[in-house]
Amino acid sequence: MKIETICVQGGYRPKSGDPRTLPLVQSTTYYYQTPEELAHLFDVPKDGHIYSRISNPTTSAYEEKIAMLEGGVGAMATGSGMSAIMAAVMNVASKGDNILSMSSIYGGTFNLFKVTLPRLGIETKFFTDDMSDAEIEKLIDGNTKAVFVETIANPAMIVCDFDRYAAICRKHGVLLIVDNTLATPCLVRPFEHGANVVVHSSTKYLDGHASCVGGIIVDGGNFAFDGNPRYKDFYTPDASYHDVVYVKEGGAAAYILKARMQYMRDMGLTPSPFNAWLTNIGTETLHLRMERTSGNALALAETLKKHKNAEWVMYPGLKDDKYHDIAVKYYKGGFGGMLVFGVKGGRKQAENFIKNLSLVKQVTHIADVRSCVLHPASTTHRQLSDADLVKAGITANMVRLSLGIENIDDITADVVKALDNI
């Protein structure tokens, strides 16, 4: 099936007499007639559902759809995007290990990597896009377990050059984890460009309606864990779960099986089946929304470039954007719905611009059907020091706009009026 068809029909295959649309299974438990049936599932949990903390029929159908969209071999939904990122990293890294990460990542992820994971003994070494390959490779040592990047940095708008980072990871036998939240598989499929694991905050475009928080991890099934000394936990028995060997039991899907049987089971990262059901409904229009929001963002970016009170504009769809050529190499069908620009006059005038908006609302969110705005330096990245803000590519006058699917004339009129009146 093509992407558009997977969005609508992927993951759920009704049998004769079944509901045509994915049912909501709001149950914690599942009945089995014999002790042998249930015992088998504890040995081979991928063969069925035991308990909704681990898996659920509604959630599983949604997970299958996202795996199909990304071109992966399996997926695991979580209660939030942050829990997806945490589990994705901890599935390969533990006390004494380290990961590498772009410093321009989303502020919440930056704080997780810089503050919280070190409390658990996992160090993060940050690098910037302008560092040479040699400088980045110097950060890799025998305990490095993953390199983490975003398809497009939020809100720095740095577009990931997958070929570059995939080559570094292959050279050193290190896992490449990509946050594909802002591009979605409708625009970019990271597995086709060397990524090994993809994460999403499904709260954003996958849901698309600001109705429920969630996250998801997708396993590309394209990483050779077996025999790699960095990842012995994948090919040695897991004493916590019947001495299962994940590469033997899970095959190409060893990564996602381990994530489910260790971190979903033990840490309870479970999404509500209702949220999975809602998000699945959201994905049915994902391809349409990505086309519309991308078109709206490009049109507004071109308008902002001409406005006297816009100091600069960053959007990869602009032909003179620093990352346009890289984006063209990987993106298909649009460049996403988020842009950032600098308001002339600094922080105060950026705040005044937001106060002057009417249709576009200030919320702590992006990737909604409704257009929204935020001032990153004082909100999502407020916990960062001035030095870390610079590393993250955030200026005091930066405004982040996430374009919805409204009529572009109405969006433009509201933004232009707000800029005219600062």
Side-chain angles (χ1 to χ4, degrees):
M1 291 187 288
K2 303 295 185 183
I3 287 283
E4 298 86 349
T5 308
I6 296 172
C7 283
V8 179
Q9 297 208 29
Y12 174 61
R13 291 171 293 279
K15 300 180 180 66
S16 182
D18 283 350
R20 179 63 187 93
T21 60
L22 177 65
L24 169 61
V25 179
Q26 192 68 45
S27 178
T28 63
T29 53
Y30 307 91
Y31 164 71
Y32 295 96
Q33 190 170 17
T34 69
E36 290 80 9
E37 287 179 283
L38 191 56
H40 169 74
L41 291 179
F42 273 88
D43 287 336
V44 190
K46 63 183 180 179
D47 285 355
H49 303 286
I50 301 170
Y51 190 59
S52 279
R53 172 161 51 81
I54 299 171
S55 66
N56 168 277
T58 302
T59 305
S60 292
Y62 157 63
E63 290 168 340
E64 184 177 340
K65 175 187 284 189
I66 303 306
M68 292 172 70
L69 285 171
E70 287 286 9
V73 297
M76 185 180 83
T78 63
S80 69
M82 291 308 303
S83 61
I85 294 169
M86 182 184 71
V89 170
M90 293 184 68
N91 198 34
V92 292
S94 56
K95 186 176 181 180
D97 293 331
N98 65 77
I99 64 168
L100 271 59
S101 172
M102 288 275 285
S103 61
S104 56
I105 54 175
Y106 164 63
T109 311
F110 186 92
N111 196 69
L112 170 68
F113 289 174
K114 185 178 181 180
V115 179
T116 304
L117 287 184
R119 291 172 179 164
L120 303 177
I122 302 171
E123 179 191 2
T124 302
K125 302 176 183 180
F126 291 100
F127 63 91
T128 59
D129 184 63
D130 58 2
M131 290 172 64
S132 68
D133 289 1
E135 289 174 315
I136 295 171
E137 289 182 55
K138 283 182 180 179
L139 300 175
I140 298 174
D141 60 31
N143 293 321
T144 301
K145 296 299 179 71
V147 174
F148 184 93
V149 296
E150 293 176 338
T151 303
I152 186 164
N154 172 20
M157 300 300 291
I158 296 172
V159 177
C160 178
D161 189 343
F162 292 106
D163 290 345
R164 180 190 183 196
Y165 297 116
I168 291 172
C169 288
R170 283 194 299 268
K171 179 178 177 181
H172 294 273
V174 174
L175 199 75
L176 178 59
I177 303 175
V178 176
D179 186 332
N180 198 32
T181 297
L182 292 184
T184 82
C186 289
L187 302 183
V188 180
R189 300 179 88 196
F191 294 141
E192 296 177 356
H193 308 293
N196 305 120
V197 173
V198 163
V199 296
H200 285 267
S201 170
S202 61
T203 317
K204 311 304 190 298
Y205 284 122
L206 297 186
D207 166 40
H209 298 80
S211 64
C212 51
V213 174
I216 194 163
I217 308 169
V218 187
D219 182 357
N222 57 357
F223 190 85
F225 291 102
D226 201 3
N228 187 326
R230 295 183 190 275
Y231 305 101
K232 292 181 180 179
D233 287 349
F234 285 81
Y235 56 87
T236 55
D238 179 3
S240 77
Y241 203 81
H242 311 301
D243 285 334
V244 64
V245 177
Y246 292 107
V247 295
K248 291 182 179 179
E249 188 64 46
Y255 175 90
I256 208 68
L257 178 62
K258 181 175 181 291
R260 187 177 300 279
M261 299 324 300
Q262 288 186 343
Y263 293 96
M264 182 63 76
R265 183 195 68 190
D266 291 349
M267 300 182 73
L269 309 175
T270 319
S272 160
F274 183 59
N275 281 6
W277 182 76
L278 282 174
T279 306
N280 183 72
I281 292 175
T283 61
E284 293 174 353
T285 59
L286 178 64
H287 56 297
L288 300 174
R289 290 185 284 105
M290 293 312 295
E291 179 181 348
R292 181 60 173 265
T293 191
S294 295
N296 280 352
L298 178 58
L300 185 62
E302 290 172 340
T303 296
L304 286 170
K305 279 184 64 67
K306 302 171 185 175
H307 199 286
K308 60 183 174 63
N309 287 332
E311 191 171 287
W312 50 266
V313 182
M314 290 186 69
Y315 181 70
L318 294 171
K319 292 183 178 179
D320 61 349
D321 187 85
K322 179 179 179 180
Y323 298 98
H324 179 72
D325 291 342
I326 297 176
V328 167
K329 185 163 72 166
Y330 302 113
Y331 282 67
K332 307 295 181 185
F335 299 94
M338 188 180 80
L339 64 86
V340 294
F341 75 102
V343 179
K344 284 185 179 177
R347 179 188 291 255
K348 185 63 178 177
Q349 293 292 43
E351 292 172 350
N352 286 336
F353 163 73
I354 292 174
K355 291 176 183 177
N356 290 338
L357 290 166
S358 177
L359 177 71
V360 181
K361 304 299 186 186
Q362 179 183 225
V363 295
T364 309
H365 194 47
I366 51 174
D368 189 357
V369 291
R370 291 158 284 266
S371 295
C372 53
V373 66
L374 204 67
H375 181 246
S378 61
T379 55
T380 55
H381 291 68
R382 188 181 185 89
Q383 74 274 23
L384 271 61
S385 66
D386 289 343
D388 284 339
L389 283 172
V390 171
K391 291 178 184 177
I394 297 170
T395 61
N397 71 338
M398 176 190 282
V399 168
R400 184 185 73 184
L401 281 167
S402 173
L403 280 296
I405 61 172
E406 306 96 340
N407 185 286
I408 186 57
D409 293 339
D410 293 330
I411 298 171
T412 302
D414 190 43
V415 171
V416 169
K417 180 181 176 182
L419 271 177
D420 287 342
N421 291 332
I422 62 171

PDB file of all heavy atoms in Angstrom, residues 30 38 68 76 83 93 102 109 131 144 153 156 177 204 207-208 246 266 294 332 379 381-382 413:
ATOM      1  N   TYR A  30      -7.338 -10.332  29.640  1.00  0.00           N
ATOM      2  CA  TYR A  30      -7.756 -11.148  28.497  1.00  0.00           C
ATOM      3  C   TYR A  30      -7.940 -12.585  28.956  1.00  0.00           C
ATOM      4  O   TYR A  30      -7.100 -13.140  29.678  1.00  0.00           O
ATOM      5  CB  TYR A  30      -6.714 -11.051  27.372  1.00  0.00           C
ATOM      6  CG  TYR A  30      -6.444  -9.596  27.030  1.00  0.00           C
ATOM      7  CD1 TYR A  30      -5.419  -8.899  27.667  1.00  0.00           C
ATOM      8  CD2 TYR A  30      -7.259  -8.909  26.148  1.00  0.00           C
ATOM      9  CE1 TYR A  30      -5.205  -7.562  27.421  1.00  0.00           C
ATOM     10  CE2 TYR A  30      -7.060  -7.562  25.880  1.00  0.00           C
ATOM     11  CZ  TYR A  30      -6.030  -6.890  26.525  1.00  0.00           C
ATOM     12  OH  TYR A  30      -5.832  -5.553  26.289  1.00  0.00           O
ATOM     13  N   LEU A  38      -2.127 -19.567  28.539  1.00  0.00           N
ATOM     14  CA  LEU A  38      -1.612 -18.372  29.199  1.00  0.00           C
ATOM     15  C   LEU A  38      -0.121 -18.501  29.480  1.00  0.00           C
ATOM     16  O   LEU A  38       0.646 -17.542  29.304  1.00  0.00           O
ATOM     17  CB  LEU A  38      -2.381 -18.113  30.496  1.00  0.00           C
ATOM     18  CG  LEU A  38      -2.136 -16.753  31.163  1.00  0.00           C
ATOM     19  CD1 LEU A  38      -2.423 -15.604  30.209  1.00  0.00           C
ATOM     20  CD2 LEU A  38      -3.007 -16.616  32.410  1.00  0.00           C
ATOM     21  N   MET A  68       4.125   0.363   9.705  1.00  0.00           N
ATOM     22  CA  MET A  68       3.952   0.306   8.248  1.00  0.00           C
ATOM     23  C   MET A  68       4.284   1.647   7.608  1.00  0.00           C
ATOM     24  O   MET A  68       4.957   1.708   6.568  1.00  0.00           O
ATOM     25  CB  MET A  68       2.517  -0.086   7.906  1.00  0.00           C
ATOM     26  CG  MET A  68       2.135  -1.502   8.274  1.00  0.00           C
ATOM     27  SD  MET A  68       0.360  -1.821   8.040  1.00  0.00           S
ATOM     28  CE  MET A  68       0.258  -1.782   6.249  1.00  0.00           C
ATOM     29  N   MET A  76       6.180   0.307  19.392  1.00  0.00           N
ATOM     30  CA  MET A  76       5.669   0.265  20.757  1.00  0.00           C
ATOM     31  C   MET A  76       5.190   1.660  21.137  1.00  0.00           C
ATOM     32  O   MET A  76       5.975   2.609  21.194  1.00  0.00           O
ATOM     33  CB  MET A  76       6.753  -0.195  21.737  1.00  0.00           C
ATOM     34  CG  MET A  76       6.248  -0.365  23.160  1.00  0.00           C
ATOM     35  SD  MET A  76       7.565  -0.899  24.301  1.00  0.00           S
ATOM     36  CE  MET A  76       8.340   0.693  24.704  1.00  0.00           C
ATOM     37  N   SER A  83       8.411   9.719  27.234  1.00  0.00           N
ATOM     38  CA  SER A  83       8.624   8.338  27.676  1.00  0.00           C
ATOM     39  C   SER A  83       9.121   7.471  26.529  1.00  0.00           C
ATOM     40  O   SER A  83       9.898   6.528  26.739  1.00  0.00           O
ATOM     41  CB  SER A  83       7.347   7.752  28.284  1.00  0.00           C
ATOM     42  OG  SER A  83       6.292   7.709  27.348  1.00  0.00           O
ATOM     43  N   ALA A  93      21.144   1.706  26.571  1.00  0.00           N
ATOM     44  CA  ALA A  93      22.142   2.336  27.446  1.00  0.00           C
ATOM     45  C   ALA A  93      21.759   2.168  28.907  1.00  0.00           C
ATOM     46  O   ALA A  93      20.600   2.308  29.278  1.00  0.00           O
ATOM     47  CB  ALA A  93      22.273   3.821  27.111  1.00  0.00           C
ATOM     48  N   MET A 102      22.543  15.689  19.122  1.00  0.00           N
ATOM     49  CA  MET A 102      22.579  17.068  18.632  1.00  0.00           C
ATOM     50  C   MET A 102      22.156  17.993  19.773  1.00  0.00           C
ATOM     51  O   MET A 102      21.220  17.686  20.515  1.00  0.00           O
ATOM     52  CB  MET A 102      21.613  17.239  17.460  1.00  0.00           C
ATOM     53  CG  MET A 102      22.065  16.574  16.183  1.00  0.00           C
ATOM     54  SD  MET A 102      23.183  17.622  15.224  1.00  0.00           S
ATOM     55  CE  MET A 102      22.044  18.802  14.536  1.00  0.00           C
ATOM     56  N   THR A 109      13.684  17.263  25.634  1.00  0.00           N
ATOM     57  CA  THR A 109      14.630  16.179  25.377  1.00  0.00           C
ATOM     58  C   THR A 109      16.020  16.566  25.852  1.00  0.00           C
ATOM     59  O   THR A 109      16.751  15.749  26.432  1.00  0.00           O
ATOM     60  CB  THR A 109      14.665  15.838  23.882  1.00  0.00           C
ATOM     61  OG1 THR A 109      13.326  15.665  23.395  1.00  0.00           O
ATOM     62  CG2 THR A 109      15.452  14.568  23.634  1.00  0.00           C
ATOM     63  N   MET A 131      30.033  20.953  13.512  1.00  0.00           N
ATOM     64  CA  MET A 131      31.253  20.213  13.840  1.00  0.00           C
ATOM     65  C   MET A 131      31.614  19.282  12.687  1.00  0.00           C
ATOM     66  O   MET A 131      30.742  18.787  11.970  1.00  0.00           O
ATOM     67  CB  MET A 131      31.060  19.414  15.132  1.00  0.00           C
ATOM     68  CG  MET A 131      30.967  20.284  16.382  1.00  0.00           C
ATOM     69  SD  MET A 131      30.496  19.350  17.871  1.00  0.00           S
ATOM     70  CE  MET A 131      31.873  18.234  18.060  1.00  0.00           C
ATOM     71  N   THR A 144      29.687   4.117  24.059  1.00  0.00           N
ATOM     72  CA  THR A 144      28.668   4.886  23.339  1.00  0.00           C
ATOM     73  C   THR A 144      27.641   3.928  22.749  1.00  0.00           C
ATOM     74  O   THR A 144      27.986   3.010  22.012  1.00  0.00           O
ATOM     75  CB  THR A 144      29.301   5.720  22.217  1.00  0.00           C
ATOM     76  OG1 THR A 144      30.264   6.614  22.791  1.00  0.00           O
ATOM     77  CG2 THR A 144      28.244   6.524  21.481  1.00  0.00           C
ATOM     78  N   ALA A 153      15.089  20.124  13.664  1.00  0.00           N
ATOM     79  CA  ALA A 153      15.228  20.534  15.062  1.00  0.00           C
ATOM     80  C   ALA A 153      14.114  21.494  15.462  1.00  0.00           C
ATOM     81  O   ALA A 153      13.772  22.418  14.721  1.00  0.00           O
ATOM     82  CB  ALA A 153      16.582  21.195  15.279  1.00  0.00           C
ATOM     83  N   ALA A 156      15.050  25.078  16.265  1.00  0.00           N
ATOM     84  CA  ALA A 156      16.187  25.661  15.537  1.00  0.00           C
ATOM     85  C   ALA A 156      16.084  25.486  14.030  1.00  0.00           C
ATOM     86  O   ALA A 156      16.812  26.142  13.274  1.00  0.00           O
ATOM     87  CB  ALA A 156      17.493  25.054  16.048  1.00  0.00           C
ATOM     88  N   ILE A 177      19.283   6.835  16.343  1.00  0.00           N
ATOM     89  CA  ILE A 177      17.889   7.080  16.749  1.00  0.00           C
ATOM     90  C   ILE A 177      17.460   8.442  16.210  1.00  0.00           C
ATOM     91  O   ILE A 177      18.153   9.441  16.415  1.00  0.00           O
ATOM     92  CB  ILE A 177      17.731   7.057  18.276  1.00  0.00           C
ATOM     93  CG1 ILE A 177      18.216   5.724  18.855  1.00  0.00           C
ATOM     94  CG2 ILE A 177      16.275   7.308  18.673  1.00  0.00           C
ATOM     95  CD1 ILE A 177      18.201   5.673  20.379  1.00  0.00           C
ATOM     96  N   LYS A 204       1.703  15.193  18.620  1.00  0.00           N
ATOM     97  CA  LYS A 204       1.780  16.210  17.571  1.00  0.00           C
ATOM     98  C   LYS A 204       1.019  15.745  16.322  1.00  0.00           C
ATOM     99  O   LYS A 204      -0.158  15.492  16.386  1.00  0.00           O
ATOM    100  CB  LYS A 204       3.252  16.525  17.276  1.00  0.00           C
ATOM    101  CG  LYS A 204       4.094  16.804  18.527  1.00  0.00           C
ATOM    102  CD  LYS A 204       3.542  17.912  19.390  1.00  0.00           C
ATOM    103  CE  LYS A 204       4.497  18.362  20.491  1.00  0.00           C
ATOM    104  NZ  LYS A 204       4.836  17.321  21.474  1.00  0.00           N
ATOM    105  N   ASP A 207      -1.556  12.453  16.071  1.00  0.00           N
ATOM    106  CA  ASP A 207      -2.901  12.761  16.570  1.00  0.00           C
ATOM    107  C   ASP A 207      -3.460  13.948  15.776  1.00  0.00           C
ATOM    108  O   ASP A 207      -4.511  13.859  15.155  1.00  0.00           O
ATOM    109  CB  ASP A 207      -2.861  13.071  18.059  1.00  0.00           C
ATOM    110  CG  ASP A 207      -4.139  13.714  18.561  1.00  0.00           C
ATOM    111  OD1 ASP A 207      -5.220  13.288  18.116  1.00  0.00           O
ATOM    112  OD2 ASP A 207      -4.070  14.637  19.381  1.00  0.00           O
ATOM    113  N   GLY A 208      -2.756  15.062  15.834  1.00  0.00           N
ATOM    114  CA  GLY A 208      -3.079  16.211  14.999  1.00  0.00           C
ATOM    115  C   GLY A 208      -4.217  17.084  15.466  1.00  0.00           C
ATOM    116  O   GLY A 208      -4.522  18.101  14.831  1.00  0.00           O
ATOM    117  N   TYR A 246      16.992 -12.005  22.999  1.00  0.00           N
ATOM    118  CA  TYR A 246      16.126 -11.191  22.152  1.00  0.00           C
ATOM    119  C   TYR A 246      16.394 -11.343  20.664  1.00  0.00           C
ATOM    120  O   TYR A 246      15.468 -11.327  19.852  1.00  0.00           O
ATOM    121  CB  TYR A 246      16.203  -9.728  22.588  1.00  0.00           C
ATOM    122  CG  TYR A 246      15.579  -9.523  23.943  1.00  0.00           C
ATOM    123  CD1 TYR A 246      16.367  -9.295  25.077  1.00  0.00           C
ATOM    124  CD2 TYR A 246      14.208  -9.614  24.116  1.00  0.00           C
ATOM    125  CE1 TYR A 246      15.791  -9.151  26.334  1.00  0.00           C
ATOM    126  CE2 TYR A 246      13.614  -9.465  25.358  1.00  0.00           C
ATOM    127  CZ  TYR A 246      14.407  -9.241  26.467  1.00  0.00           C
ATOM    128  OH  TYR A 246      13.830  -9.110  27.701  1.00  0.00           O
ATOM    129  N   ASP A 266       8.267  -3.246  32.992  1.00  0.00           N
ATOM    130  CA  ASP A 266       8.788  -2.889  34.312  1.00  0.00           C
ATOM    131  C   ASP A 266       8.533  -1.435  34.703  1.00  0.00           C
ATOM    132  O   ASP A 266       8.465  -1.125  35.895  1.00  0.00           O
ATOM    133  CB  ASP A 266      10.296  -3.151  34.377  1.00  0.00           C
ATOM    134  CG  ASP A 266      10.633  -4.640  34.347  1.00  0.00           C
ATOM    135  OD1 ASP A 266       9.699  -5.456  34.480  1.00  0.00           O
ATOM    136  OD2 ASP A 266      11.812  -4.978  34.189  1.00  0.00           O
ATOM    137  N   SER A 294       2.060  22.063   5.227  1.00  0.00           N
ATOM    138  CA  SER A 294       3.310  22.403   4.544  1.00  0.00           C
ATOM    139  C   SER A 294       3.097  23.553   3.569  1.00  0.00           C
ATOM    140  O   SER A 294       3.912  24.478   3.480  1.00  0.00           O
ATOM    141  CB  SER A 294       3.859  21.178   3.805  1.00  0.00           C
ATOM    142  OG  SER A 294       4.236  20.158   4.698  1.00  0.00           O
ATOM    143  N   LYS A 332       9.755  14.615   0.810  1.00  0.00           N
ATOM    144  CA  LYS A 332       8.879  14.381  -0.322  1.00  0.00           C
ATOM    145  C   LYS A 332       7.494  14.951  -0.024  1.00  0.00           C
ATOM    146  O   LYS A 332       6.882  14.591   0.973  1.00  0.00           O
ATOM    147  CB  LYS A 332       8.749  12.876  -0.608  1.00  0.00           C
ATOM    148  CG  LYS A 332      10.072  12.131  -0.771  1.00  0.00           C
ATOM    149  CD  LYS A 332      10.846  12.596  -1.993  1.00  0.00           C
ATOM    150  CE  LYS A 332      12.152  11.810  -2.135  1.00  0.00           C
ATOM    151  NZ  LYS A 332      12.979  12.329  -3.242  1.00  0.00           N
ATOM    152  N   THR A 379       9.664  30.005  27.238  1.00  0.00           N
ATOM    153  CA  THR A 379       8.686  28.958  27.542  1.00  0.00           C
ATOM    154  C   THR A 379       9.318  27.572  27.454  1.00  0.00           C
ATOM    155  O   THR A 379       9.856  27.069  28.427  1.00  0.00           O
ATOM    156  CB  THR A 379       7.468  29.067  26.596  1.00  0.00           C
ATOM    157  OG1 THR A 379       7.934  29.045  25.235  1.00  0.00           O
ATOM    158  CG2 THR A 379       6.709  30.358  26.846  1.00  0.00           C
ATOM    159  N   HIS A 381      11.999  26.399  26.279  1.00  0.00           N
ATOM    160  CA  HIS A 381      13.433  26.299  26.549  1.00  0.00           C
ATOM    161  C   HIS A 381      13.844  27.202  27.714  1.00  0.00           C
ATOM    162  O   HIS A 381      15.001  27.590  27.836  1.00  0.00           O
ATOM    163  CB  HIS A 381      14.234  26.653  25.296  1.00  0.00           C
ATOM    164  CG  HIS A 381      14.103  25.629  24.205  1.00  0.00           C
ATOM    165  ND1 HIS A 381      12.917  25.419  23.538  1.00  0.00           N
ATOM    166  CD2 HIS A 381      14.993  24.745  23.685  1.00  0.00           C
ATOM    167  CE1 HIS A 381      13.093  24.457  22.632  1.00  0.00           C
ATOM    168  NE2 HIS A 381      14.336  24.037  22.708  1.00  0.00           N
ATOM    169  N   ARG A 382      12.900  27.525  28.564  1.00  0.00           N
ATOM    170  CA  ARG A 382      13.139  28.451  29.675  1.00  0.00           C
ATOM    171  C   ARG A 382      14.203  27.935  30.649  1.00  0.00           C
ATOM    172  O   ARG A 382      14.932  28.714  31.259  1.00  0.00           O
ATOM    173  CB  ARG A 382      11.818  28.672  30.423  1.00  0.00           C
ATOM    174  CG  ARG A 382      11.862  29.749  31.496  1.00  0.00           C
ATOM    175  CD  ARG A 382      10.506  29.878  32.192  1.00  0.00           C
ATOM    176  NE  ARG A 382      10.498  30.974  33.135  1.00  0.00           N
ATOM    177  CZ  ARG A 382      10.181  32.225  32.840  1.00  0.00           C
ATOM    178  NH1 ARG A 382       9.869  32.531  31.589  1.00  0.00           N
ATOM    179  NH2 ARG A 382      10.192  33.165  33.757  1.00  0.00           N
ATOM    180  N   ALA A 413      -3.428  37.182   7.191  1.00  0.00           N
ATOM    181  CA  ALA A 413      -3.994  38.461   7.631  1.00  0.00           C
ATOM    182  C   ALA A 413      -3.745  38.685   9.115  1.00  0.00           C
ATOM    183  O   ALA A 413      -3.402  39.799   9.549  1.00  0.00           O
ATOM    184  CB  ALA A 413      -5.484  38.501   7.330  1.00  0.00           C
TER     185      ALA A 413
END
